[in-house]
Amino acid sequence: MSRADGIRIGTAAWSIPKPHAHAFPAEGSHLERYGATFNAVEINSSFYRPHRRSTYERWASAVPDDFRFAVKMPKAITHEHRLADSDALLDRFLFEVAGLGGRLGPILVQLPPKLSFQSGSSDAFLHGLRDRFSGDVVCEPRHASWFAPDVDGLLEELEIARVAADPAPVSGAGAPGAWRGLSYYRLHGSPRIYYSPYEAETLSKITARLLDDRLQGRAVWCIFDNTAAFAATHDALVTCAMVEGTGKLDG
């Protein structure tokens, strides 16, 4: 796969399903082999449990210089504390992921479906995150209150991009929003979330959106999260091929 800063395509986690093993080098760890084919990955295991900083350092050493990791924020912050009273947890998480060094991409903040925007706590958390972390941040809210103009304004002010999710949990969630310096697509599989592969026609439309965003000067990420039946790897490989077919992957 061509190496590029403009468009990053990958999957949630770096497993290599046997039916697609031929698309990766035969030698090396799964991460080394994955990083030789894709230029990005989303770490989801961080949502469930913390990883030592040394683990992130080891992962960073296994991939090329221009590879990037997106890292999902722990559920202890987003789902258990619901963004409140989580300074210590946030500090720990940011210390750990700093082990990725220059290979750290966006921090992904996925919110619970029932978590509404709470003035005084939600905004305080976002300001606290931005005060601590100057890199890219993407937010995947799943409650309609997060799609109000004033919340968009806050996210834009803080340069936090809103994820484009498929399937879209609420109206407006299917398109990138808020800060438009970065477009981050999380494709969970549709109609059966986490399982369904995407048809070729749909992948072609996705590719067109990625290229259009890139032409607008935005950084672009596309992560396939339909991993339950191993469709994500196929869909990411096909999308990479479609993007490369245009000759525009490297912007």
Side-chain angles (χ1 to χ4, degrees):
M1 171 175 178
S2 300
R3 294 287 168 184
D5 290 334
I7 298 178
R8 297 193 176 276
I9 300 170
T11 63
W14 51 78
S15 62
I16 299 176
K18 188 173 181 180
H20 305 298
H22 63 277
F24 301 85
E27 302 298 325
S29 67
H30 275 209
L31 179 54
E32 289 170 334
R33 294 166 64 204
Y34 177 101
T37 298
F38 293 122
N39 62 4
V41 74
E42 184 183 277
I43 299 175
N44 274 199
S45 56
S46 53
F47 178 73
Y48 300 100
R49 63 186 184 279
H51 298 299
R52 294 186 179 93
R53 184 174 175 133
S54 60
T55 298
Y56 285 107
E57 292 171 345
R58 175 166 51 83
W59 288 341
S61 70
V63 295
D65 290 345
D66 59 351
F67 187 94
R68 295 293 181 269
F69 296 83
V71 189
K72 190 173 182 180
M73 186 169 284
K75 66 176 181 179
I77 297 173
T78 57
H79 288 55
E80 295 170 11
H81 281 252
R82 301 171 72 82
L83 307 183
D85 302 319
S86 56
D87 286 356
L89 291 168
L90 180 58
D91 287 339
R92 175 183 176 179
F93 171 66
L94 293 175
F95 172 79
E96 292 164 350
V97 301
L100 291 171
R103 295 176 181 84
L104 174 60
I107 298 296
L108 167 65
V109 185
Q110 186 195 53
L111 302 177
K114 294 184 179 180
L115 181 59
S116 62
F117 183 86
Q118 300 290 324
S119 180
S121 58
S122 301
D123 50 345
F125 172 81
L126 295 172
H127 277 285
L129 171 58
R130 183 46 85 204
D131 287 344
R132 291 168 168 83
F133 182 69
S134 61
D136 287 333
V137 178
V138 295
C139 184
E140 186 179 11
R142 292 182 284 177
H143 189 277
S145 61
W146 283 81
F147 294 82
D150 58 333
V151 179
D152 265 1
L154 172 65
L155 294 173
E156 187 171 3
E157 173 193 341
L158 296 175
E159 296 191 353
I160 296 175
R162 196 178 65 235
V163 166
D166 182 75
V170 297
S171 177
W179 183 60
R180 299 301 290 115
L182 167 64
S183 292
Y184 195 103
Y185 295 84
R186 294 195 83 214
L187 307 177
H188 301 292
S190 182
R192 188 183 180 196
I193 192 168
Y194 305 129
Y195 283 87
S196 293
Y198 288 95
E199 300 292 337
E201 181 179 357
T202 301
L203 293 175
S204 180
K205 292 178 180 178
I206 290 167
T207 299
R209 293 176 70 182
L210 304 182
L211 292 169
D212 182 66
D213 275 338
R214 186 60 189 137
L215 286 173
Q216 299 299 317
R218 301 176 181 119
V220 182
W221 278 66
C222 180
I223 295 295
F224 289 91
D225 188 33
N226 49 340
T227 56
F230 309 114
T233 304
H234 168 269
D235 291 348
L237 288 168
V238 170
T239 303
C240 285
M242 288 181 173
V243 168
E244 288 179 344
T246 70
K248 296 180 180 176
L249 182 64
D250 55 2

